[in-house]
Amino acid sequence: MTLGRTAGPGPRGRSAAPVGRGPRARLASAFWFLLPFALLLVVWAVVVAATGTPMRIFPQVTDVGSAIADMWASGDLLRHLGASLRRVGVGALLAVATALPFGIALGASPKLAAFFTPLLRFSVSLAGIAWIPIATLWLGYSDQAVIFIVWNAMFFALTYNALLGVQQIPIELIRAARSMGTGRLRMFWEVLLPGALPSVVTGLRIGLGYGWRGLVAAEIIASSAGLGYALFLAQKSFDTDVVIASMAIIGVLWLLMDRLVLSPLERRTVERWGMKSVVS
């Protein structure tokens, strides 16, 4: 038994190709995506030049560019970038490995879902940054504390979305699987997980956003490397250009992750599993 989407054949018996995804459409999409940032840079440069704002208060665009070049030349950028990506990667893997089965198990059991849902909603409001003081008390000022914050920030959002995803599976499909004698493991892999995937991937996108913010905050407090630590170190030495440069790198890196990895993953998952499903 497999869960799939129904799609009518296109011309001459072939599946219809996606609309509006040619090179010209992609270039247009990239243009409109980058245009607000280009306008922001222009306004930034004009306002700072017109007001004569000192660099210590707010640097010019070129000063920030020079700071990024200096960070690259010294090797600090790669060192901080590597530390942050490693921590967010480990934390995300742990969150997926723990939240996904837990959330699907809750979704498959109405009684467990009713019991845990209030706790999940309560925990979502506290996840991530609010746990930093506890994390440092438990794990010290270490990589483990930062990874814990990333995991904590993602876990509850992923669990809740997995629960919702299972609850959205048509009950007829689950009953049909049970009537065919589907075991628990096969039910998980062939019915519950595929059916919950659109919601799970949306939860992953949201959770990684929470995790990324938690990472930066935790690195400011509990680390000696990473993009958050670089930002904090620059603030202590009044290097405003490096502070803004670090903020820009954090924002650009998240945009790249979201646009190049998470957004296509979410779109393809919804296209594959989010349509009308059938048992075959």
PDB file of all heavy atoms in Angstrom, residues 8 30 40 43 46 68 76 86 88 103 115 128 146 156 168 173 219 227 229 250 253-254 261 271:
ATOM      1  N   GLY A   8      -3.446  13.923 -13.367  1.00  0.00           N
ATOM      2  CA  GLY A   8      -3.862  13.533 -14.694  1.00  0.00           C
ATOM      3  C   GLY A   8      -2.733  13.652 -15.673  1.00  0.00           C
ATOM      4  O   GLY A   8      -1.817  14.461 -15.515  1.00  0.00           O
ATOM      5  N   ALA A  30      14.140  35.957  -9.060  1.00  0.00           N
ATOM      6  CA  ALA A  30      15.351  36.400  -8.358  1.00  0.00           C
ATOM      7  C   ALA A  30      15.449  37.923  -8.343  1.00  0.00           C
ATOM      8  O   ALA A  30      15.848  38.525  -7.337  1.00  0.00           O
ATOM      9  CB  ALA A  30      16.585  35.797  -9.028  1.00  0.00           C
ATOM     10  N   LEU A  40      17.359  48.963  -0.289  1.00  0.00           N
ATOM     11  CA  LEU A  40      17.784  49.220   1.085  1.00  0.00           C
ATOM     12  C   LEU A  40      19.228  49.701   1.128  1.00  0.00           C
ATOM     13  O   LEU A  40      19.570  50.650   1.858  1.00  0.00           O
ATOM     14  CB  LEU A  40      17.629  47.950   1.920  1.00  0.00           C
ATOM     15  CG  LEU A  40      18.157  48.010   3.361  1.00  0.00           C
ATOM     16  CD1 LEU A  40      17.385  49.047   4.170  1.00  0.00           C
ATOM     17  CD2 LEU A  40      18.069  46.634   4.021  1.00  0.00           C
ATOM     18  N   VAL A  43      19.371  53.355  -0.125  1.00  0.00           N
ATOM     19  CA  VAL A  43      18.867  54.284   0.897  1.00  0.00           C
ATOM     20  C   VAL A  43      19.864  54.405   2.046  1.00  0.00           C
ATOM     21  O   VAL A  43      20.134  55.513   2.551  1.00  0.00           O
ATOM     22  CB  VAL A  43      17.496  53.810   1.410  1.00  0.00           C
ATOM     23  CG1 VAL A  43      17.046  54.633   2.610  1.00  0.00           C
ATOM     24  CG2 VAL A  43      16.455  53.891   0.301  1.00  0.00           C
ATOM     25  N   VAL A  46      22.857  56.569   0.919  1.00  0.00           N
ATOM     26  CA  VAL A  46      22.496  57.979   0.755  1.00  0.00           C
ATOM     27  C   VAL A  46      22.266  58.650   2.107  1.00  0.00           C
ATOM     28  O   VAL A  46      22.759  59.755   2.360  1.00  0.00           O
ATOM     29  CB  VAL A  46      21.244  58.093  -0.139  1.00  0.00           C
ATOM     30  CG1 VAL A  46      20.710  59.529  -0.131  1.00  0.00           C
ATOM     31  CG2 VAL A  46      21.568  57.668  -1.566  1.00  0.00           C
ATOM     32  N   ILE A  68      33.629  42.771   6.146  1.00  0.00           N
ATOM     33  CA  ILE A  68      33.413  41.386   5.720  1.00  0.00           C
ATOM     34  C   ILE A  68      34.653  40.858   5.006  1.00  0.00           C
ATOM     35  O   ILE A  68      35.074  39.708   5.229  1.00  0.00           O
ATOM     36  CB  ILE A  68      32.178  41.303   4.797  1.00  0.00           C
ATOM     37  CG1 ILE A  68      30.914  41.638   5.595  1.00  0.00           C
ATOM     38  CG2 ILE A  68      32.060  39.918   4.169  1.00  0.00           C
ATOM     39  CD1 ILE A  68      29.654  41.718   4.748  1.00  0.00           C
ATOM     40  N   ASP A  76      38.591  34.505  10.173  1.00  0.00           N
ATOM     41  CA  ASP A  76      37.580  34.527  11.238  1.00  0.00           C
ATOM     42  C   ASP A  76      36.191  34.177  10.707  1.00  0.00           C
ATOM     43  O   ASP A  76      35.398  33.506  11.396  1.00  0.00           O
ATOM     44  CB  ASP A  76      37.539  35.907  11.897  1.00  0.00           C
ATOM     45  CG  ASP A  76      38.750  36.164  12.785  1.00  0.00           C
ATOM     46  OD1 ASP A  76      39.419  35.180  13.152  1.00  0.00           O
ATOM     47  OD2 ASP A  76      39.017  37.341  13.096  1.00  0.00           O
ATOM     48  N   ARG A  86      27.781  23.960  12.116  1.00  0.00           N
ATOM     49  CA  ARG A  86      27.901  22.650  12.760  1.00  0.00           C
ATOM     50  C   ARG A  86      26.891  22.520  13.902  1.00  0.00           C
ATOM     51  O   ARG A  86      26.207  21.499  14.036  1.00  0.00           O
ATOM     52  CB  ARG A  86      29.318  22.454  13.287  1.00  0.00           C
ATOM     53  CG  ARG A  86      29.518  21.177  14.108  1.00  0.00           C
ATOM     54  CD  ARG A  86      30.982  20.987  14.445  1.00  0.00           C
ATOM     55  NE  ARG A  86      31.550  22.163  15.057  1.00  0.00           N
ATOM     56  CZ  ARG A  86      31.425  22.487  16.348  1.00  0.00           C
ATOM     57  NH1 ARG A  86      30.714  21.693  17.144  1.00  0.00           N
ATOM     58  NH2 ARG A  86      31.994  23.558  16.847  1.00  0.00           N
ATOM     59  N   VAL A  88      24.026  24.233  14.422  1.00  0.00           N
ATOM     60  CA  VAL A  88      22.630  24.220  13.979  1.00  0.00           C
ATOM     61  C   VAL A  88      22.316  22.907  13.261  1.00  0.00           C
ATOM     62  O   VAL A  88      21.205  22.383  13.354  1.00  0.00           O
ATOM     63  CB  VAL A  88      22.311  25.440  13.081  1.00  0.00           C
ATOM     64  CG1 VAL A  88      22.827  25.257  11.668  1.00  0.00           C
ATOM     65  CG2 VAL A  88      20.823  25.727  13.068  1.00  0.00           C
ATOM     66  N   GLY A 103       5.785  13.295  17.647  1.00  0.00           N
ATOM     67  CA  GLY A 103       4.625  14.006  17.127  1.00  0.00           C
ATOM     68  C   GLY A 103       3.673  13.096  16.372  1.00  0.00           C
ATOM     69  O   GLY A 103       2.455  13.216  16.500  1.00  0.00           O
ATOM     70  N   PHE A 115      -3.911  14.967  25.822  1.00  0.00           N
ATOM     71  CA  PHE A 115      -3.146  15.162  27.053  1.00  0.00           C
ATOM     72  C   PHE A 115      -1.956  16.098  26.828  1.00  0.00           C
ATOM     73  O   PHE A 115      -1.678  16.982  27.646  1.00  0.00           O
ATOM     74  CB  PHE A 115      -2.645  13.814  27.569  1.00  0.00           C
ATOM     75  CG  PHE A 115      -1.829  13.909  28.829  1.00  0.00           C
ATOM     76  CD1 PHE A 115      -2.440  14.041  30.062  1.00  0.00           C
ATOM     77  CD2 PHE A 115      -0.435  13.872  28.773  1.00  0.00           C
ATOM     78  CE1 PHE A 115      -1.679  14.144  31.223  1.00  0.00           C
ATOM     79  CE2 PHE A 115       0.326  13.968  29.924  1.00  0.00           C
ATOM     80  CZ  PHE A 115      -0.297  14.097  31.161  1.00  0.00           C
ATOM     81  N   GLY A 128      13.650  27.702  23.188  1.00  0.00           N
ATOM     82  CA  GLY A 128      14.776  28.444  22.647  1.00  0.00           C
ATOM     83  C   GLY A 128      15.426  29.375  23.645  1.00  0.00           C
ATOM     84  O   GLY A 128      15.998  28.954  24.658  1.00  0.00           O
ATOM     85  N   VAL A 146      24.782  25.257  23.450  1.00  0.00           N
ATOM     86  CA  VAL A 146      24.255  25.900  22.239  1.00  0.00           C
ATOM     87  C   VAL A 146      23.414  24.908  21.435  1.00  0.00           C
ATOM     88  O   VAL A 146      22.323  25.233  20.948  1.00  0.00           O
ATOM     89  CB  VAL A 146      25.403  26.466  21.385  1.00  0.00           C
ATOM     90  CG1 VAL A 146      24.848  27.121  20.125  1.00  0.00           C
ATOM     91  CG2 VAL A 146      26.224  27.473  22.179  1.00  0.00           C
ATOM     92  N   PHE A 156       9.617  21.560  19.813  1.00  0.00           N
ATOM     93  CA  PHE A 156       8.184  21.716  20.062  1.00  0.00           C
ATOM     94  C   PHE A 156       7.425  22.111  18.800  1.00  0.00           C
ATOM     95  O   PHE A 156       6.310  21.648  18.569  1.00  0.00           O
ATOM     96  CB  PHE A 156       7.965  22.721  21.190  1.00  0.00           C
ATOM     97  CG  PHE A 156       8.589  22.293  22.488  1.00  0.00           C
ATOM     98  CD1 PHE A 156       9.781  22.848  22.921  1.00  0.00           C
ATOM     99  CD2 PHE A 156       7.997  21.305  23.262  1.00  0.00           C
ATOM    100  CE1 PHE A 156      10.362  22.437  24.112  1.00  0.00           C
ATOM    101  CE2 PHE A 156       8.575  20.884  24.455  1.00  0.00           C
ATOM    102  CZ  PHE A 156       9.759  21.449  24.871  1.00  0.00           C
ATOM    103  N   GLN A 168      -4.624  15.467  10.087  1.00  0.00           N
ATOM    104  CA  GLN A 168      -5.236  15.886   8.833  1.00  0.00           C
ATOM    105  C   GLN A 168      -5.362  14.749   7.812  1.00  0.00           C
ATOM    106  O   GLN A 168      -5.955  14.940   6.759  1.00  0.00           O
ATOM    107  CB  GLN A 168      -4.425  17.038   8.226  1.00  0.00           C
ATOM    108  CG  GLN A 168      -4.525  18.329   9.027  1.00  0.00           C
ATOM    109  CD  GLN A 168      -3.507  19.370   8.602  1.00  0.00           C
ATOM    110  OE1 GLN A 168      -2.747  19.162   7.652  1.00  0.00           O
ATOM    111  NE2 GLN A 168      -3.482  20.489   9.301  1.00  0.00           N
ATOM    112  N   LEU A 173      -8.566   6.614   5.110  1.00  0.00           N
ATOM    113  CA  LEU A 173      -7.300   6.024   4.685  1.00  0.00           C
ATOM    114  C   LEU A 173      -6.693   5.173   5.795  1.00  0.00           C
ATOM    115  O   LEU A 173      -6.214   4.062   5.564  1.00  0.00           O
ATOM    116  CB  LEU A 173      -6.332   7.134   4.274  1.00  0.00           C
ATOM    117  CG  LEU A 173      -4.967   6.688   3.746  1.00  0.00           C
ATOM    118  CD1 LEU A 173      -5.120   5.919   2.447  1.00  0.00           C
ATOM    119  CD2 LEU A 173      -4.058   7.886   3.544  1.00  0.00           C
ATOM    120  N   GLU A 219      25.029  31.692  21.267  1.00  0.00           N
ATOM    121  CA  GLU A 219      26.451  31.929  20.989  1.00  0.00           C
ATOM    122  C   GLU A 219      26.934  33.233  21.612  1.00  0.00           C
ATOM    123  O   GLU A 219      28.102  33.349  21.991  1.00  0.00           O
ATOM    124  CB  GLU A 219      26.687  31.952  19.477  1.00  0.00           C
ATOM    125  CG  GLU A 219      26.651  30.569  18.844  1.00  0.00           C
ATOM    126  CD  GLU A 219      26.888  30.595  17.353  1.00  0.00           C
ATOM    127  OE1 GLU A 219      26.711  31.660  16.724  1.00  0.00           O
ATOM    128  OE2 GLU A 219      27.243  29.544  16.792  1.00  0.00           O
ATOM    129  N   LEU A 227      28.871  32.925  14.775  1.00  0.00           N
ATOM    130  CA  LEU A 227      28.463  34.240  14.285  1.00  0.00           C
ATOM    131  C   LEU A 227      27.898  35.111  15.398  1.00  0.00           C
ATOM    132  O   LEU A 227      28.113  36.328  15.421  1.00  0.00           O
ATOM    133  CB  LEU A 227      27.431  34.066  13.172  1.00  0.00           C
ATOM    134  CG  LEU A 227      27.954  33.373  11.901  1.00  0.00           C
ATOM    135  CD1 LEU A 227      26.811  33.073  10.949  1.00  0.00           C
ATOM    136  CD2 LEU A 227      29.007  34.238  11.216  1.00  0.00           C
ATOM    137  N   TYR A 229      28.792  34.962  18.550  1.00  0.00           N
ATOM    138  CA  TYR A 229      29.939  35.385  19.356  1.00  0.00           C
ATOM    139  C   TYR A 229      30.713  36.489  18.650  1.00  0.00           C
ATOM    140  O   TYR A 229      31.174  37.443  19.303  1.00  0.00           O
ATOM    141  CB  TYR A 229      30.850  34.195  19.621  1.00  0.00           C
ATOM    142  CG  TYR A 229      32.103  34.553  20.375  1.00  0.00           C
ATOM    143  CD1 TYR A 229      32.062  34.832  21.740  1.00  0.00           C
ATOM    144  CD2 TYR A 229      33.332  34.637  19.719  1.00  0.00           C
ATOM    145  CE1 TYR A 229      33.211  35.182  22.430  1.00  0.00           C
ATOM    146  CE2 TYR A 229      34.491  34.975  20.408  1.00  0.00           C
ATOM    147  CZ  TYR A 229      34.420  35.255  21.765  1.00  0.00           C
ATOM    148  OH  TYR A 229      35.562  35.599  22.450  1.00  0.00           O
ATOM    149  N   ILE A 250      24.572  36.838   9.116  1.00  0.00           N
ATOM    150  CA  ILE A 250      23.552  35.971   9.739  1.00  0.00           C
ATOM    151  C   ILE A 250      22.269  35.991   8.900  1.00  0.00           C
ATOM    152  O   ILE A 250      21.675  34.948   8.608  1.00  0.00           O
ATOM    153  CB  ILE A 250      23.280  36.428  11.178  1.00  0.00           C
ATOM    154  CG1 ILE A 250      24.494  36.124  12.071  1.00  0.00           C
ATOM    155  CG2 ILE A 250      22.035  35.741  11.742  1.00  0.00           C
ATOM    156  CD1 ILE A 250      24.441  36.798  13.426  1.00  0.00           C
ATOM    157  N   LEU A 253      22.805  34.338   5.368  1.00  0.00           N
ATOM    158  CA  LEU A 253      22.940  32.888   5.475  1.00  0.00           C
ATOM    159  C   LEU A 253      21.579  32.229   5.688  1.00  0.00           C
ATOM    160  O   LEU A 253      21.268  31.194   5.080  1.00  0.00           O
ATOM    161  CB  LEU A 253      23.878  32.541   6.632  1.00  0.00           C
ATOM    162  CG  LEU A 253      24.262  31.073   6.770  1.00  0.00           C
ATOM    163  CD1 LEU A 253      24.944  30.561   5.516  1.00  0.00           C
ATOM    164  CD2 LEU A 253      25.166  30.865   7.978  1.00  0.00           C
ATOM    165  N   TRP A 254      20.747  32.823   6.552  1.00  0.00           N
ATOM    166  CA  TRP A 254      19.409  32.264   6.756  1.00  0.00           C
ATOM    167  C   TRP A 254      18.567  32.362   5.491  1.00  0.00           C
ATOM    168  O   TRP A 254      17.848  31.428   5.138  1.00  0.00           O
ATOM    169  CB  TRP A 254      18.699  32.960   7.912  1.00  0.00           C
ATOM    170  CG  TRP A 254      17.251  32.580   7.951  1.00  0.00           C
ATOM    171  CD1 TRP A 254      16.178  33.369   7.686  1.00  0.00           C
ATOM    172  CD2 TRP A 254      16.722  31.284   8.229  1.00  0.00           C
ATOM    173  NE1 TRP A 254      15.011  32.656   7.787  1.00  0.00           N
ATOM    174  CE2 TRP A 254      15.322  31.357   8.113  1.00  0.00           C
ATOM    175  CE3 TRP A 254      17.298  30.053   8.560  1.00  0.00           C
ATOM    176  CZ2 TRP A 254      14.485  30.277   8.322  1.00  0.00           C
ATOM    177  CZ3 TRP A 254      16.466  28.968   8.768  1.00  0.00           C
ATOM    178  CH2 TRP A 254      15.084  29.080   8.657  1.00  0.00           C
ATOM    179  N   VAL A 261      17.080  25.758   0.154  1.00  0.00           N
ATOM    180  CA  VAL A 261      16.898  24.414   0.710  1.00  0.00           C
ATOM    181  C   VAL A 261      15.467  24.213   1.221  1.00  0.00           C
ATOM    182  O   VAL A 261      14.746  23.323   0.764  1.00  0.00           O
ATOM    183  CB  VAL A 261      17.905  24.140   1.846  1.00  0.00           C
ATOM    184  CG1 VAL A 261      17.687  22.745   2.429  1.00  0.00           C
ATOM    185  CG2 VAL A 261      19.333  24.282   1.339  1.00  0.00           C
ATOM    186  N   GLU A 271       3.754  19.307  -3.346  1.00  0.00           N
ATOM    187  CA  GLU A 271       3.384  18.824  -4.676  1.00  0.00           C
ATOM    188  C   GLU A 271       3.258  17.300  -4.697  1.00  0.00           C
ATOM    189  O   GLU A 271       2.396  16.744  -5.364  1.00  0.00           O
ATOM    190  CB  GLU A 271       4.425  19.270  -5.700  1.00  0.00           C
ATOM    191  CG  GLU A 271       4.382  20.755  -6.027  1.00  0.00           C
ATOM    192  CD  GLU A 271       5.524  21.183  -6.923  1.00  0.00           C
ATOM    193  OE1 GLU A 271       6.425  20.339  -7.178  1.00  0.00           O
ATOM    194  OE2 GLU A 271       5.525  22.340  -7.379  1.00  0.00           O
TER     195      GLU A 271
END
